[in-house]
């Protein structure tokens, strides 16, 4: 597949229908990727930034915004791009910072199709899409085949916890793939989960195509956490240095909690939930995790740890519907 440059120029930047970074001259490129038409025959475009070195090397792909309300991931990808300006590179870094603009505009994790027969959907359950599927399938098929897959030897997919809940700096990695575990540890996160992956998830699809990929969770949805953004940027640069894309030594790896099991405690009834634990607290079976109140402010439920573990996530929005996450532990 070759890079297909179109005649359109948007906000001063060229538009492409497909990308092969091998076709580009060394240097820094900002492009609009024409991904699909919407229901009124207007094209949707995604910003793409390519940093190509003068020497050959690995192709590193950084993606963000698969879920539209996960802004810390988008801000991390943008900061990586700013920090790459003027760097001497061997290989190529491609950054796609906003995969789901409809979700971003709706402050939602979901993709919002215009097709009345297609409901808003979690894009990260439908990769790599289908050429002849519904609107969501076709959107992902174009993204996967014309932009993402052809330009990656290694992939870092940036996310946050769902709106209303929070994570530390947390990485999903398939431990069966040595390069995934290696990337996860280079991120210097607080926690790594040994995760074989689920069907339709971008990380899983890359790994099944022999392109090592990790998912990085950067705190909470919707709200900016600059300290975690800075740590995630440093971790990504560690990966670039490890693969000799940047000719510097990686920072020392810091040990972190590594687990292979999570336990989700969910609201039994609706009400206002006040967490009684903090991220990364170690708890024992029976310890108090959260207290729930009704509309009068009266206590209606207490949530206790079903087994020992470390607090991986808890709610930050107090209103919890039945089944909503209250606390997640990792072992």
């Amino acid at each position: 597949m070759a890079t297909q440059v179109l005649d359109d120029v948007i906000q001063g930047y060229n538009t492409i229908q497909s990308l092969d970074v091998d076709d580009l001259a060394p240097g820094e490129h900002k492009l609009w990727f024409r991904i699909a038409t919407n229901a009124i025959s207007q094209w949707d475009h995604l910003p793409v930034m390519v940093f190509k070195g003068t020497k050959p090397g690995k192709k590193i792909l950084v993606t963000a915004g698969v879920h539209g309300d996960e802004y810390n991931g988008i801000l991390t990808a943008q900061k990586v791009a700013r920090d790459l300006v003027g760097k001497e590179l061997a290989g190529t870094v491609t950054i796609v910072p906003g995969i789901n603009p409809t979700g971003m505009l709706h402050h939602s994790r979901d993709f919002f199709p215009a097709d009345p027969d297609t409901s808003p959907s979690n894009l990260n359950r439908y990769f790599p899409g289908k050429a002849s599927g519904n609107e969501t399938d076709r959107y992902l098929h174009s993204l996967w085949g014309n932009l993402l897959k052809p330009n990656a030897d290694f992939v870092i997919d940036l996310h946050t916890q769902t709106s209303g809940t929070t994570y530390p700096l947390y990485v999903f990695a398939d431990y069966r793939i040595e390069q995934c575990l290696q990337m996860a540890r280079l991120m210097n996160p607080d926690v790594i989960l040994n995760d074989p992956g689920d069907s339709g998830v971008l990380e899983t699809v890359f790994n099944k195509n022999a392109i090592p990929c990790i998912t990085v969770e950067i705190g909470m949805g919707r709200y900016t956490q600059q300290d975690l953004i800075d740590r995630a940027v440093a971790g990504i640069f560690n990966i670039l240095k490890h693969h000799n894309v940047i000719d510097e030594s990686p920072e020392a790896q810091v040990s972190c909690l590594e687990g292979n099991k999570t336990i989700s405690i969910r609201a039994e009834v609706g009400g206002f939930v006040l967490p009684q634990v903090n991220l990364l607290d170690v708890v024992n079976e029976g310890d108090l995790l959260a207290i729930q109140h009704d509309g009068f402010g009266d206590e209606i439920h207490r949530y206790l740890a079903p087994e020992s573990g470390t607090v991986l996530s808890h709610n930050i929005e107090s209103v919890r519907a039945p089944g909503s996450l209250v606390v997640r532990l990792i072992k």
Side-chain angles (χ1 to χ4, degrees):
M1 183 196 70
T3 299
Q4 184 180 358
V5 181
L6 305 173
D7 293 332
D8 293 351
V9 175
I10 301 174
Q11 296 174 309
Y13 301 116
N14 289 330
T15 302
I16 57 171
Q17 189 95 48
S18 59
L19 177 65
D20 182 344
V21 295
D22 291 338
D23 296 337
L24 300 182
E28 299 161 7
H29 305 267
K30 290 183 178 179
L31 304 161
W32 289 106
F33 172 61
R34 177 177 287 184
I35 184 167
T37 56
N38 60 25
I40 54 174
S41 194
Q42 295 174 338
W43 282 95
D44 294 324
H45 297 86
L46 304 183
V48 179
M49 293 166 281
V50 180
F51 298 83
K52 185 172 182 179
T54 56
K55 300 176 182 178
K58 300 295 184 182
K59 298 175 185 176
I60 310 295
L61 174 66
V62 179
T63 56
V66 170
H67 295 136
D69 62 347
E70 299 185 357
Y71 304 141
N72 283 337
I74 296 167
L75 294 170
T76 297
Q78 292 173 344
K79 189 173 190 306
V80 169
R82 291 194 298 271
D83 290 352
L84 282 172
V85 172
K87 292 279 189 185
E88 292 288 335
L89 303 179
T92 307
V93 182
T94 303
I95 300 173
V96 186
I99 283 175
N100 182 5
T102 64
M104 293 164 64
L105 291 170
H106 283 83
H107 304 282
S108 169
R109 70 191 276 106
D110 287 341
F111 176 78
F112 285 77
D115 182 351
D117 291 327
T118 304
S119 300
S121 56
N122 180 349
L123 287 183
N124 216 25
R125 299 297 182 269
Y126 295 98
F127 281 98
K130 300 176 185 176
S132 58
N134 61 27
E135 184 179 349
T136 303
D137 290 325
R138 293 171 190 240
Y139 184 93
L140 291 180
H141 182 266
S142 173
L143 177 71
W144 172 255
N146 295 324
L147 180 60
L148 301 185
K149 183 185 178 185
N151 297 297
D153 294 324
F154 297 91
V155 184
I156 307 157
D157 187 31
L158 304 175
H159 290 256
T160 73
Q161 173 62 304
T162 303
S163 290
T165 51
T166 188
Y167 273 142
L169 189 59
Y170 168 42
V171 180
F172 292 86
D174 189 335
Y175 278 38
R176 298 170 299 182
I177 304 170
E178 182 179 352
Q179 293 145 316
C180 291
L181 177 57
Q182 188 177 66
M183 283 196 292
R185 289 174 173 164
L186 285 164
M187 285 296 303
N188 279 334
D190 298 304
V191 183
I192 303 172
L193 176 68
N194 178 8
D195 174 45
D198 295 318
S199 176
V201 173
L202 184 57
E203 173 197 346
T204 306
V205 174
F206 268 120
N207 286 333
K208 285 184 175 179
N209 281 270
I211 301 171
C213 178
I214 57 172
T215 299
V216 181
E217 306 277 0
I218 308 165
M220 65 181 72
R222 296 188 66 173
Y223 299 106
T224 305
Q225 294 173 279
Q226 191 62 56
D227 58 332
L228 292 184
I229 291 169
D230 291 342
R231 287 180 60 196
V233 170
I236 292 169
F237 270 79
N238 242 18
I239 293 171
L240 298 180
K241 293 170 185 176
H242 174 81
H243 288 294
N244 300 311
V245 176
I246 295 175
D247 187 18
E248 298 176 17
S249 297
E251 296 178 4
Q253 292 183 37
V254 179
S255 63
C256 70
L257 173 64
E258 298 187 19
N260 57 15
K261 176 184 178 183
T262 59
I263 306 104
S264 295
I265 297 90
R266 299 187 179 277
E268 295 294 330
V269 295
F272 298 82
V273 174
L274 298 177
Q276 303 298 303
V277 290
N278 297 307
L279 289 180
L280 304 179
D281 281 352
V282 176
V283 298
N284 296 311
E285 182 179 348
D287 284 355
L288 179 64
L289 301 178
I291 301 173
Q292 189 170 28
H293 302 84
D294 64 15
F296 295 98
D298 296 328
E299 183 178 318
I300 55 174
H301 198 81
R302 290 193 166 213
Y303 295 92
L304 307 180
E307 54 185 293
S308 63
T310 299
V311 177
L312 178 63
S313 180
H314 62 72
N315 68 292
I316 52 173
E317 290 182 358
S318 59
V319 175
R320 298 278 93 187
S324 298
L325 182 69
V326 173
V327 173
R328 179 168 292 144
L329 306 177
I330 187 168
K331 294 176 74 71

